């Protein structure tokens, strides 16, 4: 007993010490919270007597800081009486860490919907961990606003004082200050990487071939309300709005203004340093990291809407073999189905035994498409869905909501229903029993609907769409069906503001007033649909098929998607404009934490040309996800279908892709789910002002840290004027030194860019890239276990040169369980270094491994294949 008392006494001493330390840390961090009565520039602000709040109570003795605000304006509602003003707000400020904080605005009187605190969405920490914050927070009471500044530079990071804070039922508005215009993110969109002044809409929508121009209404399939900004000091930070609401975001010369229709305002602010990769990694930590893929997924993929039968597919694959072009994956669009009905295979055109034999003997992976709308008719998915009550309910009829897509009348799964995952898994299992797919392509999951809101005709009068109708719908040559929800009876009519400049937000999608099992409306769930569908698909592949790295490509997504699936950039067009835009699109998704992304090579809609398709293969071979896909009535654009120049460009570019495939894969493994892969040049050279110029920013990119690609993205050129930042650079194809390190500024270099060859690629001095022989390599599994090392030496003192690199030190790259065990749960990355003892001798060794390489170099030659 005495011993126990002594032990308890010791425990109490430790606990008391911990409490004292914790209180000390909290008090230190709270010293960075300041309260002032009025903003010093209040007289210059664009405030009106109609709107605004005062802070009437501030509790700042502990985290989170609690601020009670009362409405002081004269307005009762915002523009429409359906949108009354919230009279009382609670603002919470959370200390997440020394470099991260959260600011949450909520309505005290009327509970607001929040994104579920569940996988795969990011969850929030509530306990403070910061001891010495990098930021100061200032709270202004009359009118209420909050400002965040970086302590080291006193630069404004976030400041809501610019205009009225408005918080009404169907309209929320907040504005923050901008002190620089180097801003990137806010998607999904096809546009330049840097955001210019303009209005940007975020709301998941089936908007094919939609190029952003800085005006509202060019929103695409995803919701990612985050931006990365470079401050005047050269530091970087991220501001993220955790919201699934439709919104418009206006960027002006000195401000960013958010306008939303639902939810609440929940900001996360992440401060970084002068290297943007560091703050991006913190953001990806918050998101939970991105999921790993199998090696075969990094190979080449071939797809087309228009492979009408198995014979078509076998002919395509045969032509790849005949022309000695590598390929890992063959895909099906909706052609394989019976009347475009999910989970069916038309066995007359795709006989199952022959189909299975073809996939096995060809050693190909197979990925079919599935759409969100499930056909209402005599089929098992429909009967099972009704029996399990898993469909979204119409608020008008109380029955499952009816939409229209390819097969005709359809219902949509309610992913908030507890039966939905098992239902979806059972349906996927029924498809897998027919044909064993390796992964899945899920589409039309915004969710797309040819009736605006919902169809009012009975299912028997809603006909299946013809091939011509489907083509016209996919390319928006047709308007939604005439018989649909009456436009005077949609939820959008209650909104005082509609994002995107639409007449109603139900355009091309399902009713926002539809009811979910959770009690929420489709208004709140809309932009979650694609990621929740992906999550159920992930659960099936991971748990029932026991796949370590489920392969899912989804069109619609939201933050959190990174943990379950990947993305392709949707329906693009065969033009040089779209070729160029693909670079920025993929780089932006690397910011969002979804790096395994690609655009349809040669373009989806329209007819490609020989020149365009050749250039697209040169660029597309560097996409993490490289797939050729095009529309049914377009010209064939497989790499062998457009003549010898395209064939030569595709063959050489894909050979290059496969030669560095394991290195590319190793970059993903080394990142461990955090950070960027296909990246802007300024991520390695943030101090170089040239790399922020749009002509460089949008046309060149890095693969990892060692390779820089400068593809030809304009017509009728035979060379590319590439910008080489101040560093030593080598031509990756020839080994020639093209820029010396002792030149202390970047240069422009004219690099040959033959149409029938490969894109210009440059090796960064100080880097080692392992490559492999691709002779007789037609699948990723054919790659050998031996490497050659491309060593780009760089001076590090007057006498010596050095270079470093890495590769996954495993033999079984194609064994997912082995990779998971050795590389994901363990660490399989082997570091490689090369140091020259003199200019005539080089020693390379692999740290901690049994690899020692020696070679003799010619005097002054500083690159050589090993």
């Amino acid at each position: 007993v005495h011993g126990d008392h002594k032990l308890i006494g010791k425990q109490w001493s430790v606990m008391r010490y911990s409490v004292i330390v914790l209180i000390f840390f909290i008090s230190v961090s709270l010293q960075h919270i300041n309260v002032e009565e009025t903003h010093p520039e209040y007289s210059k602000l664009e405030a009106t007597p109609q709107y605004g709040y005062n802070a009437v109570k501030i509790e700042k003795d502990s985290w989170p800081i609690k601020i009670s605000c009362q409405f002081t304006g004269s307005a009762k509602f915002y523009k429409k009486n359906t949108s009354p003003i919230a009279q009382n707000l609670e603002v919470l400020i959370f200390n997440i860490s020394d470099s991260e904080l959260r600011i949450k605005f909520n309505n005290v009187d009327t509970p607001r919907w929040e994104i579920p605190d569940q996988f795969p969405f990011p969850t929030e920490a509530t306990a403070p961990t910061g001891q010495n914050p990098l930021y100061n927070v200032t709270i202004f009471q009359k009118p209420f606003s909050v400002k965040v500044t970086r302590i080291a530079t006193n630069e404004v990071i976030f400041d809501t004082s610019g205009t009225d804070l408005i918080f009404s039922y169907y309209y929320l508005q907040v504005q923050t200050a901008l002190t620089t215009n180097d801003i990137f993110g806010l998607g999904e969109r096809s546009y330049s990487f840097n955001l210019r002044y303009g209005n940007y809409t975020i709301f998941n929508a089936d908007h094919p071939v939609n190029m952003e121009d800085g005006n509202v209404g060019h929103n695409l399939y995803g919701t990612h309300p985050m931006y990365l900004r470079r401050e005047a000091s050269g530091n970087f930070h991220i501001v993220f709005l955790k919201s699934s609401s439709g919104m418009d975001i206006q960027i002006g010369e000195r401000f960013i203004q958010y306008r939303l229709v639902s939810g609440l305002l929940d900001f996360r602010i992440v401060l970084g340093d002068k290297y943007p990769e560091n703050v991006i990694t913190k953001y990806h930590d918050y998101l939970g990291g991105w999921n790993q893929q199998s090696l075969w997924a990094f190979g080449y993929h071939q797809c087309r809407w228009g492979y009408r039968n198995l014979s078509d597919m076998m002919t395509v694959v045969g032509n790849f073999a005949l022309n000695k072009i590598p390929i890992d994956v063959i895909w099906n669009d909706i052609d394989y189905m019976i009347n475009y009905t999910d989970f069916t295979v038309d066995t007359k055109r795709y006989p199952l035994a022959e189909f299975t034999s073809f996939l096995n003997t060809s050693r190909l992976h197979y990925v079919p498409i599935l759409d969100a709308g499930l056909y209402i008719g005599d089929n098992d998915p429909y009967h099972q869905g009704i029996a399990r009550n898993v469909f979204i309910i119409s608020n008008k009829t109380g029955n499952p909501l009816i939409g229209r897509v390819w097969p005709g009348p359809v219902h949509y799964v309610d992913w908030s229903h507890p039966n939905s995952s098992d239902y979806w898994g059972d349906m996927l299992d029924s498809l897998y029993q027919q044909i064993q797919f390796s992964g899945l392509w899920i589409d039309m999951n915004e969710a797309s609907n040819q009736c605006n809101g919902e169809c009012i005709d009975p299912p028997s009068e809603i006909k299946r769409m013809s091939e011509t109708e489907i083509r016209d719908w996919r390319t928006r040559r047709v308007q939604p069906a005439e018989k649909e929800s009456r436009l005077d009876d949609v939820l959008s009519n209650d909104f005082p503001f509609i994002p995107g400049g639409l007449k109603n937000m139900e355009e091309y999608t399902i009713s926002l007033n539809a009811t979910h099992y959770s009690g929420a409306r489709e208004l709140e769930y809309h932009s979650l649909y694609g990621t929740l569908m992906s999550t159920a698909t992930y659960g099936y592949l991971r748990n029932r098929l026991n796949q370590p790295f489920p392969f899912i490509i989804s069109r619609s997504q939201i933050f959190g998607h990174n943990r379950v699936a990947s993305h392709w950039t949707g329906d693009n067009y065969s033009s040089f404009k779209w070729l160029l835009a693909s670079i920025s699109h993929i780089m932006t998704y690397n910011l969002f934490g979804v790096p395994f992304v690609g655009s349809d090579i040669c373009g989806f809609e329209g007819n490609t040309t020989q020149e365009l398709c050749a250039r697209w293969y040169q660029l597309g071979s560097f996409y993490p996800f490289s797939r050729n896909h095009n529309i049914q009535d377009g010209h064939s654009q497989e790499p062998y279908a457009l003549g010898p120049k395209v064939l030569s460009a595709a063959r050489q570019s894909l050979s290059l892709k496969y030669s560095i495939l394991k290195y590319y894969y190793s970059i993903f493994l080394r990142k461990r789910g955090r950070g960027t892969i296909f990246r802007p040049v300024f991520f390695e050279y943030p101090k170089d002002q040239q790399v922020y110029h749009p002509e460089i920013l949008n046309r060149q990119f890095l693969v990892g840290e060692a390779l820089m690609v400068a593809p030809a993205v304009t017509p009728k050129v035979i060379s590319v004027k590439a910008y080489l930042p101040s560093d030593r650079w080598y031509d990756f194809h020839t080994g020639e030194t093209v820029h010396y390190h002792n030149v202390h500024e970047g240069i422009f270099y004219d690099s040959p860019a033959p149409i029938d060859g490969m894109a210009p690629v440059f090796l960064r001095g100080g880097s080692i890239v392992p490559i492999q022989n691709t002779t007789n390599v037609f699948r990723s599994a054919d790659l050998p276990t031996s490497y050659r090392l491309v060593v780009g030496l760089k001076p590090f003192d007057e006498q010596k040169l050095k270079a470093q690199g890495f590769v996954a030190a495993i033999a079984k790259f194609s064994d997912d369980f082995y990779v998971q065990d050795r590389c994901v749960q363990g660490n399989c990355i082997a570091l490689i270094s090369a140091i020259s003892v003199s200019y005539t001798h080089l020693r390379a060794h692999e740290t901690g491994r049994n690899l020692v390489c020696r070679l003799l170099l010619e005097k002054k030659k500083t690159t050589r294949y090993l």
Side-chain angles (χ1 to χ4, degrees):
V1 174
H2 291 292
D4 288 345
H5 275 290
K6 290 179 181 179
L7 179 61
I8 292 170
K10 289 180 180 179
Q11 290 175 336
W12 166 243
S13 296
V14 171
M15 184 169 65
R16 181 175 55 188
Y17 174 76
S18 301
V19 169
I20 292 170
V21 171
L22 177 61
I23 292 173
F24 172 73
F25 284 153
I26 290 175
S27 63
V28 168
S29 61
L30 287 169
Q31 290 176 4
H32 298 275
I33 303 297
N34 308 298
V35 177
E36 296 185 18
E37 183 173 2
T38 303
H39 195 285
E41 298 185 3
Y42 174 66
S43 60
K44 301 178 184 179
L45 304 180
E46 298 178 5
T48 67
Q50 286 183 289
Y51 307 105
Y53 292 86
N54 283 347
V56 295
K57 183 179 181 182
I58 301 174
E59 301 175 44
K60 67 183 191 72
D61 295 330
S62 63
W63 296 104
I65 307 301
K66 296 181 181 179
I67 308 164
S68 300
C69 298
Q70 287 184 352
F71 184 67
T72 58
S74 60
K76 302 297 184 184
F77 49 83
Y78 182 76
K79 291 188 176 179
K80 288 188 176 184
N81 58 15
T82 53
S83 191
I85 298 288
Q87 298 299 304
N88 297 287
L89 296 184
E90 181 182 67
V91 180
L92 301 176
I93 303 175
F94 297 85
N95 167 257
I96 306 301
S97 71
D98 286 340
S99 59
E100 298 177 71
L101 72 157
R102 178 187 178 199
I103 305 176
K104 180 180 178 182
F105 302 71
N106 205 354
N107 186 344
V108 174
D109 302 320
T110 305
R112 304 288 290 186
W113 188 84
E114 299 185 52
I115 291 174
D117 188 13
Q118 66 185 46
F119 181 84
F121 306 114
T123 56
E124 303 296 341
T126 55
T129 61
Q131 301 170 10
N132 294 292
L134 302 177
Y135 52 82
N136 273 325
V137 178
T138 303
I139 301 163
F140 299 101
Q141 295 175 288
K142 297 179 181 180
F144 166 73
S145 66
V146 60
K147 180 171 73 172
V148 179
T149 56
R150 184 185 290 271
I151 292 174
T153 62
N154 203 36
E155 290 178 87
V156 173
I157 305 299
F158 189 81
D159 184 353
T160 67
S161 64
T163 190
D164 291 317
L165 169 65
I166 302 175
F167 202 118
S168 71
Y169 194 75
Y170 283 129
Y171 182 78
L172 291 79
Q173 174 183 295
V174 68
Q175 181 169 301
T176 179
L178 275 185
T179 56
T180 61
N181 59 6
D182 286 331
I183 182 169
F184 320 95
L186 299 179
E188 180 179 7
R189 56 191 174 78
S190 282
Y191 195 43
S192 62
F193 187 69
N194 53 312
L195 287 158
R196 303 164 189 168
Y197 300 150
N199 291 278
Y200 301 93
T201 301
I202 297 179
F203 183 66
N204 293 17
D206 181 0
H207 283 173
V209 196
N210 191 6
M211 182 71 75
E212 181 67 78
D213 64 2
N215 293 305
V216 295
H218 294 285
N219 47 308
L220 291 174
Y221 319 103
T223 290
H224 299 275
M226 68 79 72
Y227 66 79
L228 170 73
R229 185 165 73 86
R230 186 174 70 134
E231 302 158 32
S233 63
N235 290 300
F236 289 82
H237 69 261
I238 286 172
V239 175
F240 166 64
L241 173 59
K242 188 178 182 182
S243 174
S244 62
S245 173
M247 66 184 81
D248 280 348
I249 301 175
Q250 182 182 2
I251 299 178
E253 185 176 359
R254 306 292 294 176
F255 68 89
I256 297 182
Q257 185 179 91
Y258 297 83
R259 293 180 290 166
L260 291 72
V261 296
S262 65
L264 43 77
L265 299 169
D266 191 351
F267 290 96
R268 190 180 190 92
I269 301 167
V270 187
L271 277 69
D273 54 22
K274 296 182 187 296
Y275 291 90
E277 185 74 5
N278 293 333
V279 72
I280 287 293
T281 300
K282 290 179 184 178
Y283 177 62
H284 293 176
D285 270 334
Y286 165 64
L287 294 179
W290 32 264
N291 61 330
Q292 184 59 42
Q293 295 293 329
S294 304
L295 180 68
W296 60 263
F298 288 79
Y300 177 75
H301 302 242
Q302 182 62 50
C303 183
R304 183 177 184 177
W305 175 29
Y307 293 153
R308 297 178 177 274
N309 51 52
L310 182 59
S311 178
D312 284 354
M313 293 178 65
M314 293 173 72
T315 299
V316 167
V317 173
N319 281 325
F320 272 81
L322 184 65
N323 289 281
K324 301 185 183 305
I325 306 168
I327 178 175
D328 266 271
V329 195
I330 191 74
W331 293 52
N332 264 133
D333 207 312
I334 56 177
D335 309 276
Y336 78 96
M337 300 176 182
I338 300 172
N339 296 329
Y340 315 127
T341 301
D342 276 356
F343 310 113
T344 65
V345 178
D346 188 332
T347 57
K348 293 181 180 179
R349 295 182 294 112
Y350 288 86
L352 295 179
E354 190 178 355
F355 200 173
T356 300
S357 175
F358 159 65
L359 293 175
N360 290 337
T361 57
S362 63
R363 299 184 300 127
L364 285 172
H365 292 272
Y366 173 63
V367 176
I369 195 171
L370 288 170
D371 289 328
L374 298 175
Y375 175 57
I376 301 170
D378 189 12
N379 63 87
D380 193 52
Y382 168 71
H383 293 309
Q384 288 286 337
I386 293 295
R388 303 191 201 190
N389 194 31
V390 296
F391 295 132
I392 294 174
I393 302 299
S394 165
N395 74 303
K396 298 179 177 65
T397 66
N399 297 315
L401 181 143
I402 299 170
R404 185 193 187 216
V405 285
W406 318 142
V410 296
H411 293 323
Y412 301 88
V413 175
D414 177 0
W415 302 109
S416 74
H417 198 289
N419 295 339
S420 60
S421 292
D422 285 343
Y423 163 77
W424 191 248
D426 291 345
M427 296 304 102
L428 289 174
D429 215 33
S430 70
L431 178 60
Y432 191 76
Q433 297 309 314
Q434 297 174 78
I435 186 68
Q436 294 189 3
F437 47 79
S438 299
L440 289 161
W441 173 21
I442 50 180
D443 195 14
M444 308 290 287
N445 52 350
E446 289 74 30
S448 185
N449 180 15
Q450 201 197 10
C451 296
N452 284 344
E454 60 183 289
C455 303
I456 61 175
D457 283 341
S460 60
E461 296 183 21
I462 302 173
K463 304 303 181 185
R464 183 172 72 248
M465 297 177 73
S466 68
E467 290 187 357
T468 300
E469 286 181 297
I470 295 174
R471 181 199 64 212
D472 290 347
W473 172 258
R474 276 190 159 182
T475 56
R476 283 297 180 272
R477 301 172 199 162
V478 66
Q479 293 301 312
E482 293 180 2
K483 293 185 177 180
E484 58 196 32
S485 294
R486 296 184 304 277
L487 294 184
D488 61 353
D489 189 28
V490 295
L491 185 62
S492 294
N493 288 331
D494 290 340
F495 300 164
F497 156 77
I498 297 179
L502 299 173
K503 293 180 180 179
N504 69 84
M505 290 177 67
E506 283 87 349
E507 186 173 284
Y508 305 133
T509 191
I510 60 181
S511 171
L512 298 181
N513 217 12
T515 306
H516 286 258
Y517 178 86
S518 65
R521 298 168 298 178
E522 177 64 12
L523 173 66
E524 287 80 26
Y525 260 88
H526 172 86
S527 290
L528 306 183
Y529 197 98
T531 292
L532 291 174
M533 185 179 181
S534 299
T535 303
T537 307
Y538 175 89
Y540 171 77
L541 295 175
R542 186 72 185 87
N543 300 322
R544 295 207 198 181
L545 296 190
N546 197 28
Q547 293 185 359
F549 308 133
F551 179 86
I552 304 162
I553 296 293
S554 172
R555 191 169 73 177
S556 176
Q557 16 68 54
I558 194 173
F559 47 86
H561 191 78
N562 45 282
R563 302 177 74 181
V564 294
S566 298
H567 178 55
W568 98 105
T569 61
D571 295 345
N572 59 1
Y573 196 85
S574 296
S575 73
F576 276 92
K577 181 173 73 170
W578 284 90
L579 170 69
L580 172 61
S582 71
I583 298 174
S584 298
H585 205 147
I586 296 169
M587 289 194 303
T588 301
Y589 264 81
N590 275 254
L591 302 187
F592 298 157
V594 187
F596 189 80
V597 175
S599 294
D600 286 341
I601 292 174
C602 300
F604 172 71
E605 190 190 337
N607 285 315
T608 193
T609 65
Q610 290 185 16
E611 181 187 23
L612 174 64
C613 201
R615 294 305 190 192
W616 218 314
Y617 270 105
Q618 292 170 358
L619 168 57
S621 64
F622 287 96
Y623 295 162
F625 170 49
S626 298
R627 183 186 73 163
N628 182 314
H629 176 50
N630 72 316
I631 200 164
Q632 184 186 49
D633 58 354
H635 294 161
S636 294
Q637 60 185 39
E638 291 86 1
Y640 52 79
L642 290 164
K645 290 185 177 180
V646 177
L647 176 60
S648 176
R651 186 186 284 142
Q652 291 184 59
S653 298
L654 292 176
S655 178
L656 175 60
K657 180 181 184 69
Y658 276 75
S659 75
I660 63 170
L661 199 68
K662 289 184 180 177
Y663 171 66
Y664 211 137
Y665 192 61
S666 297
I667 300 174
F668 272 76
L669 291 173
R670 190 185 188 211
K671 287 288 187 177
R672 306 188 77 82
R674 277 86 174 154
T676 59
I677 311 290
F678 189 105
R679 356 174 29 221
V681 178
F682 75 77
F683 267 53
E684 288 299 314
Y685 300 93
K687 297 179 182 179
D688 188 333
Q689 294 302 311
Q690 285 280 11
V691 297
Y692 297 94
H693 190 283
E695 288 296 306
I696 299 168
L697 180 61
N698 297 316
R699 292 168 181 261
Q700 296 179 205
F701 60 91
L702 298 169
V703 174
E705 300 170 1
L707 296 176
M708 183 169 67
V709 186
V713 290
T714 54
K716 300 178 181 180
V717 298
I718 59 173
S719 65
V720 170
K721 188 177 289 294
Y723 178 73
L724 306 178
S726 177
D727 212 331
R728 177 164 289 207
W729 291 97
Y730 301 92
D731 185 314
F732 187 68
H733 302 309
T734 68
E736 177 188 359
T737 304
V738 293
H739 188 29
Y740 290 92
H741 184 62
N742 56 359
V743 178
H744 297 295
E745 58 184 23
I747 64 168
F748 287 93
Y749 173 74
D750 282 322
S751 178
I755 189 171
D756 57 353
M758 297 176 285
V761 184
F762 302 95
L763 175 66
R764 184 182 185 184
S767 302
I768 299 175
V769 173
I771 67 171
Q772 294 188 288
N773 190 329
T774 58
T775 303
N776 296 322
V777 169
F778 304 111
R779 309 286 184 268
S780 60
D782 297 338
L783 287 165
T785 56
S786 59
Y787 298 87
R788 293 186 297 161
L789 303 180
V790 184
V791 180
L793 291 171
K794 178 179 177 179
F796 71 97
D797 62 24
E798 292 183 359
Q799 298 295 325
K800 295 181 180 180
L801 305 163
K802 70 176 181 179
Q804 293 181 324
F806 60 89
V807 71
I810 56 174
K812 303 176 183 178
F813 272 84
S814 294
D815 184 336
D816 287 349
F817 292 99
Y818 184 80
V819 173
Q820 182 186 45
D821 178 61
R822 293 289 303 277
C823 303
V824 177
Q825 297 175 353
N827 183 6
C828 67
I829 298 300
L831 302 180
I832 308 168
S833 63
I835 303 174
S836 68
V837 178
S838 68
Y839 272 60
T840 59
H841 182 256
L842 169 71
R843 182 181 67 233
H845 64 88
E846 182 183 42
T847 305
R849 307 286 178 183
N850 295 321
L851 172 65
V852 177
C853 318
R854 294 180 183 273
L855 81 161
L856 294 177
L857 292 180
E858 297 174 9
K859 189 164 181 71
K860 296 186 180 179
K861 186 151 185 170
T862 55
T863 181
R864 176 65 68 92
Y865 292 106
L866 280 71

